Amino acid sequence: MTITLDSLEPALSVRQVLTLERVLAGEPEVVAGASHLDRPVRWVHVAEAADVGVMLSGGEMILTTGVLLAGDEEKQAEYVRSLHRAEAAAVVLGLGRAFPAAPAVMRRAAERCGLPMVVLHRPFPFAELTEEVQSRLVRRKFAAVSLSEAVRTELTALITAGAPLQRLLDEVARHSACPVVVTNLAHRVLGTAGERPAVDDVLRDWERIARQAGGTEGDGWIRAELGGRGERWGRILLCGYRGDTATGRLLADRAAEALVLHRMLGGGAACSWEEQSAQSLLTDLASGVVPARQLLPRARAAGLPVNRRTFVPLVVRDGDTARLDRLLRLLGLPGLVAELADGATAVLLSLPRDQDADALAAHFATRLRSESGPARTVVAAADPRVAWDDVPAGLREAQHVADAVADSTAVLDLPPVVRLKDVHLRGLIRLLRDDPHVQSFAERELDGLLCEAEEDLLSVLRTYLATGRNKSRTAQLHHVSRPALYRRLEAIQVRLGVDLDDFEQAASVHIALLAHDAQQQ
């Protein structure tokens, strides 16, 4: 059976110890430090020595009859102060011959120190209390160790099976029953897991949480550092963990070990997780499955400025994500980069509203194309968006433009940034490519060339029409002489039964070819 945090007994606090049946038989009364009863009890000691504080390590509940303190108020006060210095959880005084009532000096000292002080009005065998509490604490420790081993085993199995980062985080969130966040050292969110509403609540308040993540733990915020060989590169956070802190730290440590191992075996760097995070966000934005407003906290936590910004959606063909990311940093342009399907890469720029978004996008595209060498890199863009809710439509528009020119970069004289107005008929055909009537039209018009043997003639036709029926340009691009090109054009006209010098017939063939190419992508 898999052990989860819900199956563990809650941590024992002073308050909970006082509700145990054996303790209630002694008629306990809290006489000082009542506001500190939620302190965890790590162990229970029976101690009569006046200097017991030097033998403690913190978290102990001390049981005493005070027989060595009777008659000496200074010893009584120092006894309480020594327990406070040793960070004891509480002191329990059994009333009897030494103290028939709670000594005022000890009570006042305990109240000043904030140390819970409890007196037992009825004789009580301390051995029974120590046995009860110790057995509960031992069971707790055993359950925590079992949980630790179960988590380690399950996460190691996932890593061995090649599971992605998200699958590991989902498993950690299942065990912790709270949102889990992985960040880099700049507090940029690389991954999240847990119930979506709870995760969104965390991300909405991420700036405050990020500051807290680098400071003292508390209120269920538990962290573990990620790194190795003396170098830290991230951290994992359990956000709002409801179990005891010791078990939460144990779970966070096991999760951190697994994440470090996952990175080592994957051979990647921490930035690959940043790419995965950006890819998930931009894919969700472009798909429209998740409303843009719900993705706003994720974008902010991923490091994208979102307040009073102009967003420029771009899609780059034949662009390497690492190179694009480096170029953004070099130009000082805030944005996210993520690889999409079919060799396309999405870039979402986030610019101050007082900057010229079109000019900056053109500068980025020009630099990118100049660094690409002979390769023709296409940078497609939608018009800038000032509202976050309009970003998904912009990404889809940019992707549509990139797809529309994907098969024609060798023959079209494209501007640095290609927009919807630049794709004309090609863009319309791309939108209609799945219509059965368009498919039937394309097959009918190109029937004489749609076989593998005629692929060379089809390529010549594609170039000839794309260059506006420019024979010289077509011959140059195909590295053939003008007479050789004329013979090929003649063969094309014979196979299709058309006259390419007739504008309407040439236009019909061109539309059919555009539809055919769009269907092949």
Side-chain angles (χ1 to χ4, degrees), residues 140-390:
R140 179 70 189 186
K141 289 181 180 294
F142 175 76
V145 171
S146 298
L147 169 66
S148 173
E149 290 306 310
V151 171
R152 175 184 281 126
T153 299
E154 292 172 15
L155 294 180
T156 301
L158 289 174
I159 294 171
T160 303
L165 171 66
Q166 187 61 52
R167 183 68 185 86
L168 270 66
L169 297 183
D170 289 341
E171 191 67 17
V172 175
R174 184 177 70 82
H175 281 287
S176 65
C178 70
V180 175
V181 178
V182 174
T183 75
N184 62 13
L185 294 181
H187 306 305
R188 180 174 176 179
V189 174
L190 306 181
T192 62
E195 295 185 1
R196 197 71 255 167
V199 172
D200 288 344
D201 286 343
V202 169
L203 296 183
R204 270 191 289 271
D205 199 21
W206 183 246
E207 289 186 7
R208 179 187 66 81
I209 292 173
R211 290 194 298 270
Q212 178 178 317
T216 305
E217 295 179 345
D219 298 328
W221 302 99
I222 298 175
R223 70 177 184 275
E225 302 299 325
L226 303 177
R229 299 177 181 175
E231 179 184 4
R232 292 188 303 116
W233 42 265
R235 59 173 54 95
I236 181 170
L237 286 167
L238 307 186
C239 305
Y241 172 69
R242 295 179 181 178
D244 71 284
T245 302
T247 304
R249 288 198 184 108
L250 195 63
L251 177 58
D253 288 342
R254 295 295 84 76
E257 290 173 3
L259 295 184
V260 171
L261 179 61
H262 181 272
R263 178 190 174 189
M264 290 174 59
L265 294 181
C271 65
S272 67
W273 289 359
E274 293 178 355
E275 292 170 4
Q276 292 177 36
S277 175
Q279 183 180 40
S280 174
L281 174 60
L282 293 184
T283 299
D284 286 347
L285 269 173
S287 69
V289 174
V290 182
R293 190 159 299 277
Q294 292 184 21
L295 296 172
L296 190 58
R298 286 173 57 188
R300 184 182 290 110
L304 186 73
V306 295
N307 295 330
R308 298 189 58 78
R309 309 291 286 190
T310 298
F311 302 101
V312 183
L314 305 172
V315 172
V316 180
R317 283 285 179 182
D318 300 322
D320 176 73
T321 54
R323 182 160 58 93
L324 293 173
D325 192 61
R326 284 194 300 272
L327 183 57
L328 286 183
R329 296 176 188 276
L330 179 64
L331 299 178
L333 298 176
L336 295 178
V337 179
E339 185 176 352
L340 302 178
D342 301 326
T345 303
V347 180
L348 180 60
L349 301 181
S350 175
L351 307 173
R353 290 189 178 177
D354 59 353
Q355 293 186 350
D356 188 335
D358 290 338
L360 288 174
H363 180 54
F364 168 77
T366 301
R367 283 290 299 271
L368 180 63
R369 291 179 65 173
S370 68
E371 294 177 3
S372 300
R376 293 299 302 273
T377 299
V378 175
V379 180
D383 291 333
R385 264 61 174 174
V386 295
W388 175 257
D389 288 345
D390 295 334

